[in-house]
Amino acid sequence: MKRLIPFLIFFLCFLLFSCGQERPRYVIGVSQCSDDEWRHQQNAEIVREAGFYKDLKVVIRTAKDDSKRQAEDIRRFIHDGIDLLVVSPNEAEPITPVVEEAYDRGIPVIVVDRKILSDKYTAYIGADNYGIGYSIGNYIANILSGKGSVIEITGLSGSTPAIDRHAGFMKAISAYPEIRLLAVADGGWLRDKAEMKMDSLLDDYPQFDVLYAHNDRMADGAYAAALSRGREKNIRFIGTDALSGESYGLESVLAGRLSATFIYPTGGDEVVETAIKILTNRPFERETNMNTSVVDSTNAPIMQLQTAHITALDEKIETLSGRINHYLEQYATQQIILSVSLAGLLLLIGLLLVVYLSLRAKSRLNRELSRQKRMLEEQTRTLEAQKGTLQQQKDQLEQLSHELETATHAKLVFFTNVSHDFRTPLTLIADPVEQLLGDASIKGQPRRMLELVRKNVGVLLNLVNQILDFRKVENGRMDLHLAPFDLRKNFLLWNEAFRITLHKKHIHFSFQVVGDDDFCTMADAGKMERIYFNLLSNAVKYTPEKGEITIHLTDKEDCYELSVFNSGSYISPEEAEAIFERFYQAEGSLAGTGIGLALVHAFVEMQGGHVMANSDERGTTFVATFPKRSLLVSTEDEAHELVSASFTDMDTDDDDLQEEPANPDAPVILVIDDNADIRNYVSSLLAKDYRVLTASDGETGLRQAQRFVPDVVICDVMMPKMDGIECCRRLKAEVTTCHIPVILLTACSLDEQRIQGYDGGADSYISKPFNSQLLLSRIRNLLDNRCRMKQFFTDGQLPERGDVNDMDRDFVSRFKALVEERMKDSSLNVEELGHEMGMSRVQLYRKLKSLTNFSPNELLRRLRLRKASSLLLTTEMSVSEVAYEVGFSSPSYFTKCYKEEFGENPTGKRKK
């Protein structure tokens, strides 16, 4: 009955919480720079449009023209974990860093009305401020018939709308030499400030024809200053916004205070529609520029009627929305009351049932307790007698445990010291053996004896390494080096090491993958290799002739599971629990050290996983689980990280990246040879100064070269599937690989074969057996030549034909021509350039990086800035016009990039 009470309480809580309001699926944070009538209308449109989506919540914060306060508002949104940020920056420069912070954290950003000094935003919605300024300039020129004087009152200095409207206005009136701009004053978007500025301007300029203000509030303030001086009839006042309402732009035109105003659309509904498309992964426009139109005495009455009608409809919609919300609240309240009442009734019934059953059980328990009391008293007397004996045995066991621990520690120290001493003679044996096996003249019985020596040296080194690793684990000095790791492909690769043994014992082997995941996670590759090899070696050891080994790699909800089953062996449950302890060996086990499975247990748990063993009459299964970890994302500007991450994702049976040198930017060498000993020997020669990638045949090597684009390829001539000459010819015929130097290795000294190799594009030919210093020297020379050729491209030159591969020269020339053709397009990106060049983004990056030392983005920016420098010196275009001409979306961002590239501002360049 005691179990019934928690169930009833849980059921009551479930009913209460299930009646709560649903949390919104998406939360949009809106950061407004100002608290003016234009912002009020835009906020109302956003809230009204958001009401059509029941799972959407909008939170609006207003900075009241304070950039520091707006930055704090945005950081609060980031901290609160909003799903999308809508921002109208007060000033571009101070707000850009915090907007970039939100974007870099994965929060989509919609920039509204005003832009930032960066391309780190998801979408932009707003009027074309440059186009508005340009339209107003042409309108003023038209009403003045191309002759007159103008004063301009701008918005807040530093805000992008003020900058762009002024630039467009200046562009328009520059076509009319007889129109003079007498003065430009900063009104800060405020009516009072504009009125003060106008008061001073009226003193300085007794006569002018037009006052142009960047918004209607400033235009209305300027009109008030002119009215107080009695000069309002001699001046035409032009504003921007055309909002409806008392003292707003539309009413000011109708009242005759303003001659005209230009519509500056708010676009609140566009903001919400675009936000929903982004959040639901639907296509959307990244740049939405809304149109403008003039409002003067001819069309103002019609617009007033339309606006009044729309306002009335909005009020009705808000009234209906309020009623619906009220009804929903009543419904929710009634639902809660009903649920609570029902839960209370059920709880009362349950409690009455519990009381009844408890009373029945009480009498029965009392009788049972009386009987047990007598038994306990008797047992207590017995236990008291045994207590003294157990205490004595405990003291003896503690003494024995201490002595055993001391002896075990002494043994481990001894084995560790001996293992260290073994490494030196083993290394001195292994290296000469490898050197001798690299000599093709050693054949027959001598070679078989050397291979036997090498195999057993490897076995000894493996045992020594296991002892040393085990001591590191025991002392807590074993480090974990996580890196991107592909479980499926590496396990398939390591299976090949057991192929011969499995064949000799006629073991039926199967490797099965369950799930559609890519099985990529963050793991320590060296420890994963030791785990897999120990588990599979253990399975092979205890599987009888014609037995079965089955491996399953399974994608679970929160982990990857590796199970290794082998038939013909049985472990009792007691032994299964102790089998991962150090030096433990199951009954009837074959010879071994007893530390292999202990290392498996330690390495699995170091990586956050778990390993266990179970057995039945069919055989034994070891199961290890590994947590899913998100992969680290490499940036395009960190080339060596991009290449290193790619190397872990192998898709062939014989690919292997050797231990990397200290310098992570070391050149990458691809060694293609069907002889594993040659691959290992050449890799050992190169491992100190280069990163080495290997392949066992020409087809595999060709795929590796196309995928990783190494700096040098060393290729054997005689190979299965595809020989070295054909592999070289294909490498030189592909635009992605034609620049890679190729060294051919051969045991044949015939001139005819050398001629074929050079005709196929080989850069060097080395005969076997070769001198290691000769090979290293040739690699260095080829890399030096590539560096000198890269300098030509870096300096913006195209080498003469014959000095460099024609495909490389044409590739760079075609890339520059493509950039020149589409330079005005500010949305041009690496994906589009790669598509136009017929390459993937990664292939384009590696090709350009290899030829020019620059990534595609860096090269694109350099070409734009060099074109801009030329335009500044050879044309009369303004800095803003030059910025747009070469594809920058913001003049201020262009100025920043130009100064970083050339060390001076564009204006300074023109003055010089």
Side-chain angles (χ1 to χ4, degrees), residues 422-440:
F422 279 165
R423 290 178 68 91
T424 299
L426 286 174
T427 302
L428 294 176
I429 295 171
D431 191 56
V433 169
E434 291 293 341
Q435 298 274 354
L436 291 171
L437 285 172
D439 188 351

Side-chain angles (χ1 to χ4, degrees), residues 574-591:
E574 296 77 12
E575 290 177 324
E577 293 182 359
I579 198 168
F580 295 105
E581 296 178 4
R582 63 184 184 183
F583 307 127
Y584 180 85
Q585 290 181 306
E587 183 178 353
S589 64
L590 302 177

Side-chain angles (χ1 to χ4, degrees), residues 762-901:
D763 297 271
S764 183
Y765 228 109
I766 298 180
S767 300
K768 296 179 182 178
F770 55 84
N771 183 285
S772 60
Q773 295 301 317
L774 172 63
L775 177 63
L776 294 173
S777 176
R778 192 67 188 111
I779 292 173
R780 286 193 296 269
N781 289 338
L782 289 173
L783 291 175
D784 289 342
N785 289 338
R786 292 302 305 172
C787 288
R788 285 192 292 271
M789 200 56 60
K790 188 182 296 184
Q791 189 62 39
F792 277 103
F793 291 119
T794 301
D795 294 338
Q797 306 175 32
L798 287 177
E800 294 295 328
R801 293 192 180 274
D803 294 338
V804 70
N805 186 295
D806 288 345
M807 293 182 69
D808 289 343
R809 185 180 187 278
D810 293 340
F811 176 86
V812 175
S813 177
R814 188 154 60 93
F815 179 86
K816 290 183 177 180
L818 177 61
V819 171
E820 184 72 24
E821 178 184 347
R822 298 189 57 187
M823 187 171 289
K824 290 184 180 180
D825 185 2
S826 61
S827 64
L828 183 63
N829 55 40
V830 178
E831 284 75 10
E832 293 180 20
L833 288 171
H835 178 73
E836 293 288 341
M837 298 292 292
M839 306 173 75
S840 70
R841 173 181 175 273
V842 175
Q843 287 176 326
L844 179 64
Y845 171 84
R846 291 172 178 157
K847 182 72 176 181
L848 283 176
K849 192 72 174 178
S850 176
L851 289 177
T852 68
N853 238 8
F854 294 109
S855 68
N857 276 334
E858 290 172 336
L859 189 57
L860 175 60
R861 185 166 58 249
R862 282 174 61 91
L863 293 173
R864 281 174 164 166
L865 291 173
R866 291 181 184 276
K867 178 67 174 180
S869 178
S870 174
L871 292 175
L872 288 171
L873 294 176
T874 59
T875 69
E876 295 298 322
M877 297 170 69
S878 67
V879 173
S880 296
E881 291 172 333
V882 170
Y884 293 125
E885 182 68 17
V886 297
F888 282 83
S889 60
S890 169
S892 53
Y893 180 60
F894 162 72
T895 300
K896 175 185 175 183
C897 294
Y898 191 96
K899 187 173 182 180
E900 289 176 353
E901 179 69 17

